[in-house]
Amino acid sequence: MFSLLGKTNFFHPNQPLPPQHPIPNTPTHSAFHLGRYERAQEAYTELLSGNYGKPPPEVKLHLAAVYFYMQMYKEAEEIANEYEPESALKNRILFHVCHKLNDEQKLMQYHQKLTDTNEDQLSLAAIHYLRSHFQEATDIYKRLLLENRDDLALNVYVAMCYYKLDYYDVSLEILAVYLQTHPDSAVAINLKACNHFRLYNGKAAETELKVLADHGHILQANDLIRHNMVVFSNGDQALQVLPSLIDFVPEARLNLVIYYLRHDGVQEADALLKDLEPSTPQEYILKGVVNSCMGQSMGTREVSEQNDCITRPKPMLTLHYNYFARRRICATPKLFSSSLERVPASATQFPADSAWPVASSCSSSSRTLTST
């Protein structure tokens, strides 16, 4: 499973709490794995209240992990900083929190503290992925895969990176290694469907998703699958599905913008992107298109400050922008499919980009990507 903090080597789920604490450790961790973060938060907060004696100090880091997945990044930072002494786990949590808070200075400080351990390298690869540095992430995952052949989940991480790099055939080839052992993995099948969408069409992708139903998965119960079913069907049911997913599946916002542009809803598209600070080629292009449409609708040719994001992209994204622009800017906007599985609050799955991945681990307890 694409978990940020839920693996043994990152969240220590196998370390039992002292017997004097009446709140069982396993159910709390199970709540975390199932995405029931409010339940996990209540349990850890109760432990920290002192009503059952002095709790283990690691509980603060566990609560910080829960806050992270609840998108309460400030609270996660505060509770993690209360933990003493310094630890690799604490550093990884704060590393990802600073990424979410766009605190570049602190991000670099925690980056410098990372070591060559598998856990830290997976954390670093996740940040590279989240920042659209897919080649750097691929290099780390491939090296770890060479050193840990039994960690089959690494094949999916590599396949996700190749998907993002537009090497869809390569992604499918690597993904097949994992699917041979775990043919009912929702994460892997969803990624396979996304590759088929890019290589063929939406019908081919929908056929792949039906495999999940054959394995007993309820497709409508999975937010990412619901999102991608809209994408694969060329926007069918977009207004019924996408608005509720905007805060959980980042691609949902972009796809809803495209839907509105296709149906003359320029004002609605502008409202969705007004406060968005672009960080990916898709976001730059969409915001530029929306601003241009707004200018045309108002009968003005003036370029607003917002339009600078499309005419003068940030240096670090210039190459990505030019590459994407050459391939997509002249075409009718197409719905972007998400290649990563997500649940509300970006919880237990590797980043639908948006699940972009966040620190995952592939220890002995995390070699499969079974979905909940």
Side-chain angles (χ1 to χ4, degrees):
M1 188 180 276
F2 287 127
S3 176
L4 169 57
L5 305 176
K7 304 307 178 188
T8 301
N9 56 8
F10 198 47
F11 199 31
H12 303 291
N14 295 327
Q15 178 179 346
L17 294 176
Q20 68 268 24
H21 294 285
I23 299 180
N25 194 29
T26 300
T28 305
H29 285 289
S30 297
F32 178 89
H33 281 291
L34 292 171
R36 298 170 183 169
Y37 304 113
E38 291 80 6
R39 170 69 183 90
Q41 178 196 13
E42 292 173 359
Y44 288 133
T45 301
E46 184 70 13
L47 280 173
L48 291 173
S49 69
N51 293 335
Y52 307 103
K54 185 178 180 180
E58 292 82 6
V59 172
K60 291 183 177 180
L61 292 184
H62 297 182
L63 180 58
V66 173
Y67 281 145
F68 181 92
Y69 278 119
M70 295 176 71
Q71 300 182 1
M72 300 169 63
Y73 304 122
K74 285 291 186 181
E75 291 81 355
E77 183 179 33
E78 292 174 3
I79 194 69
N81 279 320
E82 292 180 10
Y83 176 78
E84 295 291 345
E86 298 298 317
S87 71
L89 171 58
K90 175 182 176 180
N91 187 71
R92 289 193 294 274
I93 293 175
L94 292 174
F95 185 42
H96 283 272
V97 166
C98 289
H99 167 73
K100 291 295 186 180
L101 295 176
N102 296 316
D103 191 332
E104 294 294 317
Q105 183 176 359
K106 288 185 178 180
L107 181 76
M108 294 308 298
Q109 292 176 2
Y110 295 121
H111 182 189
Q112 293 172 1
K113 295 180 182 179
L114 295 175
T115 66
D116 292 331
T117 64
N118 286 358
E119 295 86 352
D120 281 4
Q121 288 302 299
L122 285 165
S123 185
L124 177 59
I127 290 294
H128 278 311
Y129 186 102
L130 289 167
R131 295 164 77 89
S132 299
H133 303 162
F134 302 119
Q135 187 58 60
E136 290 85 347
T138 303
D139 293 341
I140 295 175
Y141 287 134
K142 288 174 67 176
R143 175 173 54 80
L144 291 174
L145 183 57
L146 288 173
E147 298 171 357
N148 304 273
R149 290 289 189 182
D150 292 335
D151 289 340
L152 294 179
L154 287 169
N155 288 283
V156 182
Y157 302 164
V158 175
M160 285 183 170
C161 290
Y162 277 121
Y163 172 85
K164 288 293 187 177
L165 291 169
D166 294 347
Y167 292 114
Y168 307 122
D169 288 325
V170 178
S171 178
L172 284 172
E173 182 179 347
I174 297 173
L175 191 61
V177 176
Y178 183 83
L179 284 171
Q180 287 177 356
T181 306
H182 305 285
D184 61 342
S185 167
V187 177
I189 292 175
N190 178 68
L191 177 56
K192 184 178 180 181
C194 291
N195 278 301
H196 280 233
F197 177 68
R198 294 302 188 186
L199 287 171
Y200 309 113
N201 51 48
K203 288 293 184 182
E206 288 179 324
T207 300
E208 292 300 325
L209 286 186
K210 290 178 181 178
V211 174
L212 288 176
D214 295 339
H215 285 288
H217 292 272
I218 302 175
L219 301 185
Q220 293 300 323
N222 185 301
D223 288 339
L224 183 66
I225 300 299
R226 290 171 59 218
H227 170 273
N228 283 351
M229 289 177 68
V230 172
V231 174
F232 299 155
S233 63
N234 200 31
D236 186 37
Q237 299 293 313
L239 291 181
Q240 289 75 28
V241 175
L242 298 183
S244 63
L245 300 180
I246 285 178
D247 293 330
F248 309 126
V249 182
E251 292 89 344
R253 181 182 299 273
L254 305 183
N255 288 326
L256 190 56
V257 168
I258 293 172
Y259 177 88
Y260 282 132
L261 288 176
R262 286 178 168 179
H263 295 82
D264 299 322
V266 178
Q267 296 285 348
E268 292 86 348
D270 181 63
L272 283 171
L273 294 183
K274 181 180 297 183
D275 298 325
L276 176 69
E277 181 65 28
S279 61
T280 67
Q282 295 95 327
E283 291 171 352
Y284 276 105
I285 291 173
L286 273 182
K287 192 155 188 176
V289 170
V290 170
N291 287 338
S292 297
C293 292
M294 286 293 293
Q296 290 178 0
S297 66
M298 293 185 296
T300 177
R301 297 180 61 183
E302 295 180 0
V303 179
S304 67
E305 290 183 1
Q306 286 183 323
N307 279 346
D308 285 348
C309 72
I310 190 68
T311 58
R312 295 190 288 108
K314 296 178 182 178
M316 66 178 293
L317 290 175
T318 298
L319 292 178
H320 295 289
Y321 169 80
N322 290 337
Y323 171 73
F324 186 86
R326 287 197 303 271
R327 300 191 60 202
R328 305 289 190 186
I329 192 103
C330 297
T332 302
K334 296 178 67 176
L335 293 176
F336 302 119
S337 66
S338 167
S339 64
L340 309 168
E341 177 158 356
R342 266 177 99 77
V343 292
S346 111
T348 58
Q349 265 57 29
F350 196 152
D353 221 75
S354 327
W356 345 21
V358 273
S360 6
S361 124
C362 297
S363 66
S364 58
S365 64
S366 60
R367 291 173 180 168
T368 63
L369 297 173
T370 55
S371 63
T372 56

